[in-house]
Amino acid sequence: MASSKVSIASTLTTRLREAILSGEVLPESRLHLESLGEQYGVSLSPVREALLRLVAEGFVVAEEQRGFRVVEASVKKLAEVTALRAHMEPFALRHAIERGDLAWEEKLVAVFHRLTRIEQRDEYVPFLDEWERTHREFHLCLVAGCDMPMVTQFCSVLHDQSDRYRRLFLKNRPPQRNVAQEHAAIMDAVLARDADLACDLLQAHSKRTGETVQAFMRGATN
């Protein structure tokens, strides 16, 4: 019974996180346990557990006597996330290139192949569900070979935090860059085991995304 409750809470955490990332649930929205329980057909216990997990990930805020709400979206917060990504992901990737075995490399190649097929099939792919899932998997697979669970978990949270802003603020804007080409360049450097180049490319890739969103947010609020 306990494992069943954990499984329900884990599934609900994933679904609520995706709703926040996609903008289905907007920043600063109130999250009512009863309403969420009815919406997802679950009891209050897994709802509370899922929300507390999202608090730990930085997507939800618990307010004393007021319940839960989605965190705000601010330029300052995104700047912090972008700076942390630019530091942590290259750190993890460097160790992944040094330590990653053949199994890691084969999985990375397979994920990149799927991502490339999606990008070749559809001209404008960001924000399509299949691309979003595969894009996330590609970035997390890049760092997974570092063999440092705490670092990879931190990179996962930072990636999701960054993607939330991208999906919130760039969804209705035309692409400003060739993201597929950037992914390919990173992949080539990784397979060549050129850690310096791969880390520089990954850092530039994540910083470029964050800075693009920040520029749009500043313009939208002026």
Side-chain angles (χ1 to χ4, degrees):
M1 181 68 70
S3 62
S4 176
K5 289 182 178 179
V6 171
S7 177
I8 293 171
S10 296
T11 300
L12 186 56
T13 301
T14 299
R15 295 179 69 181
L16 287 173
R17 185 192 300 111
E18 176 58 27
I20 293 170
L21 288 175
S22 68
E24 178 185 338
V25 180
L26 295 174
E28 301 190 71
S29 296
R30 291 286 171 191
L31 299 168
H32 303 287
L33 271 69
E34 294 81 3
S35 298
L36 290 172
E38 292 177 5
Q39 179 181 346
Y40 292 102
V42 299
S43 65
L44 297 186
S45 179
V47 174
R48 182 178 294 277
E49 175 64 24
L51 290 176
L52 289 173
R53 292 184 187 185
L54 292 172
V55 168
E57 293 179 13
F59 293 109
V60 171
V61 175
E63 299 178 319
E64 190 173 357
Q65 305 299 325
R66 299 187 67 185
F68 298 88
R69 65 173 174 83
V70 180
V71 298
E72 65 177 353
S74 69
V75 173
K76 181 179 179 181
K77 175 71 172 180
L78 177 57
E80 180 182 4
V81 170
T82 301
L84 287 170
R85 278 194 77 189
H87 175 73
M88 291 301 302
E89 288 187 359
F91 170 82
L93 180 59
R94 183 175 297 278
H95 284 79
I97 290 172
E98 293 172 355
R99 303 176 182 179
D101 57 12
L102 184 59
W104 166 71
E105 188 173 301
E106 289 176 343
K107 181 178 180 181
L108 182 58
V109 168
V111 174
F112 177 70
H113 178 67
R114 276 194 282 119
L115 185 64
T116 302
R117 289 290 296 272
I118 298 167
E119 290 170 338
Q120 290 174 343
R121 186 186 67 211
D122 298 292
E123 183 177 350
Y124 180 50
V125 293
F127 313 109
L128 295 179
D129 289 344
E130 185 183 6
W131 185 87
E132 292 291 350
R133 289 192 299 270
T134 311
H135 175 249
R136 181 180 190 273
E137 187 178 359
F138 172 68
H139 273 274
L140 299 187
C141 191
L142 278 173
V143 301
C146 72
D147 194 28
M148 292 184 284
M150 290 180 65
V151 171
T152 54
Q153 176 61 26
F154 193 29
C155 287
S156 173
V157 171
L158 289 172
H159 179 272
D160 288 347
Q161 289 279 357
S162 176
D163 257 20
R164 173 179 178 242
Y165 282 85
R166 176 182 60 81
R167 295 169 75 176
L168 278 171
F169 293 102
L170 298 185
K171 192 163 188 175
N172 297 316
R173 293 175 62 81
Q176 304 294 312
R177 43 196 264 245
N178 191 331
V179 174
Q181 191 175 69
E182 293 176 20
H183 290 153
I186 293 168
M187 189 66 184
D188 286 345
V190 170
L191 293 179
R193 300 282 173 158
D194 187 337
D196 288 341
L197 178 58
C199 292
D200 286 346
L201 290 171
L202 180 60
Q203 183 180 70
H205 177 71
S206 59
K207 287 178 69 175
R208 194 174 292 120
T209 297
E211 289 166 358
T212 298
V213 180
Q214 289 176 56
F216 177 75
M217 291 176 70
R218 290 191 180 97
T221 56
N222 288 339

